[in-house]
Amino acid sequence: MSTLLTIDEPDQDSRRARPQWRAFTEMGFRPLYLAGCFWALASVLLWVHAPSLLNGVLGGMPWHAHEMLWGFVATIAVGFLLTAGGNWTGRNPLRGNALAALCVLWIVARAGYLAPGRPAFLIAALADLLFFLWGAAALGRAVAITRNRRNYGIPLLLVALALTNALYLWATVQGDYFALMRYFNAGLLCMAVLTLLIARRILPFFAKRAVAGLDIPPHTRSGHWQLGTGVVAIACLLAGRPQIAAVALAATGLIALVQWISWKPWAARRVPLLWILYAGYFGLGVGLLVGAAQLAGFVLRTAWPAHVVGVAGFSVLIIGMATRTALGHLGRPLRADRSMVASYVLVILAALLRLAALLPTAAALGLLHASATAWALGFALYLWRFFPMMIRPRADAGKTAAPVMRVAPAPGRPAA
């Protein structure tokens, strides 16, 4: 069997190069990781400490839900996919001024949603949809040109994110709260399916490289079932069949937890770059079960599924992946320093405090503020540590180095 993916560990270059625009726009993860993590910090502080500033058409709770899913989580996903797409296909989907233009669309969307008035909202919505569709088209083109059939479905998941985004924005304009929640949950599930697909591929691979002698299964077949049940859950949710969606969602979450157990999480306990990914995958699996319970009619607070999936799942995975993949692509040693580990602990603490704040107790407001503080500090640490590296060339740029991740050719085909 041919090897689908290999990773080379680059040597560290101790030389401190000057910032370069070309380096900053070299790959999607550089500007989009920074943008997404900055917005994670800023949007939560706005929501918790300055909600009076949210005067746009998409204001209040709809703004918060939208910006956390499509403004933060999905932005990081686009950055990751535009970077990983180059590894899968041998072609960088977007770079240079084209990548900068994509980021301008993202900025216009974030600013437009904050500005009052219908024109600003329409401009923001158009920019937001173009952002996701352009990202999907760039990735789809690279996948199609290289006939990378294994990844044909991933650009379609980005299109699904764009579609659910459009439906969510339309429901906001119509003032239809029930439709808004349905489309938000559909977008959340689209993001969950995409996250499970990516994490199931890379987590076992990273684990076997980080822990000597660790032998764990990739769960390719169960991953196919997981993808299928996830898609069924999305379709049933959009079709107004919550009971069937609950069964499919429960199956998706259970498969994730079975995979997690078989990947021997205890073996990752001494590797911060690894255990943070295990923690996020576990949180995502539990969150899908919580979502299934709510769809099935069990008494749960409305905000529980979104926060377990989004904060305990997506966000924990993001702080880990944004560290691990950035270090590799920046030519740095794959080791987490104290500031990185501190950011992991703070994001996990923020997740636990946020879930505790959902309980109907007198301490809820204090827990919410404590969660926002831990959250902001965690992402501020990431930005403080990685911003100087993101705007400079790779640490090994002056050497002849193999790519951090490359796709090996299939039998009978030349390398990309």
Side-chain angles (χ1 to χ4, degrees):
M1 180 179 292
S2 63
T3 302
L4 292 175
L5 185 70
T6 60
I7 294 184
D8 298 316
E9 309 291 355
D11 296 326
Q12 184 180 24
D13 187 349
S14 59
R15 294 176 299 175
R16 188 172 178 81
R18 298 180 64 180
Q20 293 181 7
W21 175 256
R22 181 178 179 180
F24 182 57
T25 58
E26 179 184 32
M27 302 187 82
F29 79 95
R30 289 177 179 259
L32 291 176
Y33 279 12
L34 293 179
C37 289
F38 168 77
W39 195 236
L41 183 162
S43 63
V44 164
L45 291 182
L46 276 173
W47 170 242
V48 173
H49 296 292
S52 61
L53 297 178
L54 308 178
N55 296 318
V57 173
L58 188 66
M61 183 63 76
W63 177 87
H64 173 60
H66 181 274
E67 292 303 278
M68 290 305 293
L69 178 55
W70 285 284
F72 163 46
V73 176
T75 297
I76 298 292
V78 172
F80 174 85
L81 291 173
L82 290 178
T83 303
N87 302 324
W88 299 334
T89 66
R91 298 175 63 95
N92 190 339
L94 212 59
R95 66 189 307 173
N97 290 335
L99 177 59
L102 184 76
C103 295
V104 169
L105 287 174
W106 183 88
I107 293 170
V108 169
R110 307 285 74 78
Y113 289 134
L114 288 174
R118 184 65 63 88
F121 172 79
L122 293 176
I123 291 171
L126 179 60
D128 214 11
L129 296 177
L130 285 175
F131 172 81
F132 288 108
L133 293 176
W134 191 355
L139 180 61
R141 181 174 182 272
V143 168
I145 288 176
T146 58
R147 298 182 181 179
N148 192 260
R149 296 173 182 171
R150 186 175 184 232
N151 296 299
Y152 276 178
I154 292 181
L156 296 178
L157 286 172
L158 281 182
V159 172
L161 273 174
L163 176 61
T164 53
N165 189 8
L167 292 171
Y168 181 92
L169 296 173
W170 176 254
T172 301
V173 173
Q174 297 298 309
D176 189 340
Y177 175 79
F178 293 104
L180 182 144
M181 289 306 302
R182 182 167 66 249
Y183 297 139
F184 173 80
N185 288 331
L188 194 74
L189 290 185
C190 286
M191 191 65 244
V193 170
L194 180 59
T195 303
L196 289 169
L197 178 62
I198 294 170
R200 184 189 54 78
R201 292 183 182 182
I202 63 176
L203 201 155
F205 183 82
F206 288 166
K208 286 189 283 189
R209 287 190 65 88
V211 181
L214 181 62
D215 184 21
I216 56 177
H219 279 296
T220 302
R221 180 170 295 181
S222 72
H224 293 159
W225 280 102
Q226 189 179 51
L227 178 62
T229 56
V231 170
V232 168
I234 295 168
C236 291
L237 191 61
L238 289 172
R241 296 295 186 90
Q243 297 298 326
I244 301 176
V247 174
L249 195 57
T252 307
L254 285 172
I255 292 172
L257 294 182
V258 170
Q259 292 168 342
W260 184 81
I261 293 170
S262 71
W263 288 337
K264 304 175 182 177
W266 183 250
R269 67 191 184 280
R270 299 185 186 277
V271 186
L273 287 176
L274 193 55
W275 61 248
I276 186 66
L277 300 179
Y278 273 86
Y281 202 83
F282 177 78
L284 181 54
V286 171
L288 294 175
L289 293 181
V290 173
Q294 188 182 63
L295 287 173
F298 289 93
V299 179
L300 289 170
R301 297 194 61 163
T302 305
W304 268 96
H307 284 86
V308 179
V309 170
V311 184
F314 293 154
S315 301
V316 174
L317 277 169
I318 281 173
I319 197 68
M321 285 301 303
T323 303
R324 173 59 173 79
T325 57
L327 287 174
H329 284 286
L330 291 168
R332 304 281 174 169
L334 297 178
R335 293 191 300 271
D337 61 25
R338 290 181 180 178
S339 70
M340 298 173 197
V341 176
S343 70
Y344 299 167
V345 173
L346 284 166
V347 171
I348 292 174
L349 176 62
L352 295 175
L353 290 170
R354 185 64 187 94
L355 295 178
L358 294 174
L359 298 174
T361 66
L365 184 60
L367 290 169
L368 175 63
H369 283 260
S371 172
T373 300
W375 175 273
L377 288 173
F379 283 101
L381 270 178
Y382 178 85
L383 294 169
W384 172 78
R385 188 68 181 88
F386 279 88
F387 180 80
M389 293 189 278
M390 295 288 204
I391 62 175
R392 290 175 168 83
R394 284 176 57 102
D396 56 2
K399 304 176 182 179
T400 302
V404 175
M405 300 174 71
R406 67 178 187 275
V407 179
R413 290 187 61 189

